[in-house]
């Protein structure tokens, strides 16, 4: 996957769709005071920039990825002018940050690239008590109901890396220092043309397409286009947001029946239909998840100070304290 993200970095944002609803949902539950956070598997920083815009003034946000090409895109052009976003090359399983130093950690559409257990342990280590971990992803069931899962030959068979909701929640509960706080399902109405979908598949906008041999991919694209209900199609994509809280000392997982906020949200199969691309249904923000407030204390410790000057003469300095030695980063590619 590392080679894949290096190849597509320059065109990645033109091929992918960025969902604003989960970022707005996260922002609704942040305190009205500065916080310190990390967006893991940030890729070109498309979600990092949205998140930073919603953070209170004075907040610090690092954006980490193992792909140098992806981080170069984050720093280049207008991406580099995102105030308060500090790029950091690091593996998701080996975050080079001080323990108990962050108020929030986010992972948008990338957790399937990580060793889940090691990533959760790393997140639990860097979150201070009362901090929050937000994982935005797609389950195998949701993936099967996408336009790709329904019409693209072998898409669900090739994509075996996604985690079910039950597996995610179980992994969080088995991770020391984390407790499940909330789950929420988002439904995103989409609309596109067959030509646009062809371009996305040929450009391998999902890393799933890199799992196809070239000849099989070409034949699958042709079959996919023939199966579509029309030259312009509308459908609904689904994603899952899982929220975990960093436990305070002595805090245990709540006993008894789960509250409505912590109960999984039922999946509903969307309908795919032919339609005009210019008549995309209105997006739904997805409502609120019940998330406990983040704390916003300063970063503990100063082993090494890493400053990133963002933008031009008006930019401010974003300082994040990291450990003396950064780990090698071969394990987990960007989103």
């Amino acid at each position: 996957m590392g080679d894949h993200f290096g190849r597509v970095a320059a065109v990645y944002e033109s091929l992918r769709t960025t969902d604003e609803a989960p970022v707005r949902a996260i922002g609704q539950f942040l305190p009205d005071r500065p916080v310190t956070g990390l967006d893991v598997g940030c890729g070109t920083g498309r979600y990092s920039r949205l998140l930073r815009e919603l953070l209170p003034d004075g907040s610090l946000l690092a954006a980490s990825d193992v792909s140098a090409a992806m981080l170069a895109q984050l720093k280049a052009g207008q991406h580099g002018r995102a105030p308060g976003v500090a790029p950091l090359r690091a593996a998701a399983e080996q975050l080079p940050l001080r323990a108990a130093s962050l108020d929030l950690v986010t992972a948008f559409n990338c957790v399937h690239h990580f060793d889940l257990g090691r990533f959760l342990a790393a997140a639990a280590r860097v979150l201070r008590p009362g901090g929050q971990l937000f994982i935005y992803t797609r389950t195998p069931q949701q993936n099967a109901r996408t336009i790709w899962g329904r019409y693209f030959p072998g898409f669900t068979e090739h994509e075996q890396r996604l985690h079910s909701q039950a597996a995610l929640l179980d992994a969080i509960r088995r991770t020391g220092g984390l407790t499940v706080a909330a789950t929420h399902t988002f439904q995103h109405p989409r609309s596109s043309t067959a030509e646009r979908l062809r371009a996305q598949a040929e450009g391998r906008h999902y890393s799933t397409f890199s799992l196809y041999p070239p000849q099989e991919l070409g034949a699958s694209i042709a079959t996919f286009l023939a199966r579509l209900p029309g030259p312009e199609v509308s459908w609904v994509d689904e994603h899952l947001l899982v929220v975990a809280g960093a436990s305070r000392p002595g805090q245990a997982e709540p006993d008894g029946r789960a509250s409505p906020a912590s109960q999984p949200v039922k999946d509903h199969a969307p309908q795919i239909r032919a339609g005009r691309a210019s008549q995309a249904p209105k997006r739904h923000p997805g409502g609120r998840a019940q998330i406990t407030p983040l704390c916003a204390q300063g970063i503990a410790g100063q082993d090494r100070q890493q400053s990133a000057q963002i933008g031009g003469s008006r930019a401010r300095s974003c300082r994040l304290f990291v450990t003396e030695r950064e780990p090698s980063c071969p394990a987990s590619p960007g989103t």
Side-chain angles (χ1 to χ4, degrees):
M1 285 299 105
D3 291 342
H4 162 74
F5 289 105
R7 288 193 300 268
V8 304
V11 296
Y12 188 72
E13 293 209 25
S14 67
L15 296 172
R16 293 299 296 265
T17 300
T18 304
D19 301 320
E20 296 181 8
V23 183
R24 291 198 302 269
I26 292 171
Q28 288 176 1
F29 298 97
L30 297 178
D32 189 18
R33 58 183 182 274
V35 296
T36 303
L38 173 67
D39 183 26
V40 180
C42 66
T44 58
R46 55 203 181 99
Y47 279 103
S48 309
R49 297 192 302 275
L50 284 176
L51 179 63
R52 182 61 188 86
E53 290 175 2
L54 289 173
L55 296 182
D57 291 341
S59 296
L60 303 179
L61 181 66
S64 69
D65 204 285
V66 295
S67 170
M70 286 291 203
L71 290 177
Q73 291 298 314
L74 183 151
K75 292 183 284 187
Q78 64 177 348
H79 305 165
R81 291 197 294 271
V85 177
L88 174 67
R89 193 174 184 202
E93 302 86 353
Q94 295 173 290
L95 301 176
L97 299 173
R98 292 286 297 171
S101 62
L102 301 180
D103 296 302
L104 71 155
V105 173
T106 58
F108 293 95
N109 290 326
C110 56
V111 73
H112 56 288
H113 293 299
F114 308 155
D115 180 300
L116 182 59
R118 292 173 60 206
F119 163 62
L120 292 174
R125 184 187 67 82
V126 299
L127 281 170
R128 59 171 53 102
Q132 299 280 357
L133 168 65
F134 300 90
I135 299 175
Y136 182 67
T137 187
R138 180 181 285 161
T139 68
Q141 296 77 19
Q142 291 169 336
N143 193 51
R145 294 194 290 266
T146 65
I147 197 167
W148 306 102
R150 289 180 176 234
Y151 294 118
F152 202 93
F155 190 78
T156 55
E157 289 79 11
H158 279 288
E159 186 50 85
Q160 296 295 315
R161 301 166 298 177
L162 297 172
H163 305 286
S164 69
Q165 177 170 301
L168 281 171
L169 299 184
D170 181 63
I172 291 170
R173 292 182 177 117
R174 287 187 285 105
T175 301
L178 293 179
T179 59
V180 176
T183 62
H184 189 80
T185 296
F186 290 87
Q187 295 188 335
H188 303 290
R190 313 283 198 207
S191 188
S192 187
T193 65
E195 285 306 306
R196 166 68 175 168
L197 295 171
R198 177 206 290 268
Q200 288 179 307
E202 291 176 343
R204 293 169 172 80
H205 81 303
Y206 282 135
S207 61
T208 308
F209 294 123
S210 291
L211 304 174
Y212 286 74
Q215 186 173 357
E216 182 187 355
L217 180 62
S220 297
I221 291 174
T223 301
F224 170 70
L225 296 173
R227 289 177 176 177
L228 290 177
E232 296 176 333
V233 290
S234 296
W235 70 98
V236 177
D237 276 346
E238 297 171 276
H239 285 77
L240 176 69
L241 178 66
V242 177
V243 185
S247 306
R248 301 182 186 278
Q251 178 180 346
E253 185 80 23
D255 295 325
R257 177 176 296 181
S259 67
S262 62
Q263 291 174 351
V265 179
K266 271 193 170 183
D267 292 332
H268 300 284
Q271 299 296 317
I272 297 178
R273 65 185 186 281
R276 296 187 58 81
S278 61
Q279 296 176 341
K282 189 175 182 180
R283 289 192 179 193
H284 302 287
R288 293 190 174 210
Q290 301 299 311
I291 304 173
T292 55
L294 305 180
C295 64
Q297 303 170 2
I299 297 180
Q302 299 187 20
D303 280 2
R304 181 164 63 88
Q305 181 171 296
Q306 181 185 65
S307 297
Q309 291 290 341
I310 311 296
S313 60
R314 297 182 180 179
R316 60 186 293 277
S317 178
C318 175
R319 292 178 174 86
L320 296 172
F321 300 96
V322 299
T323 55
E324 187 65 32
R325 294 180 58 194
E326 291 189 9
S328 58
C329 305
S332 50
T335 181

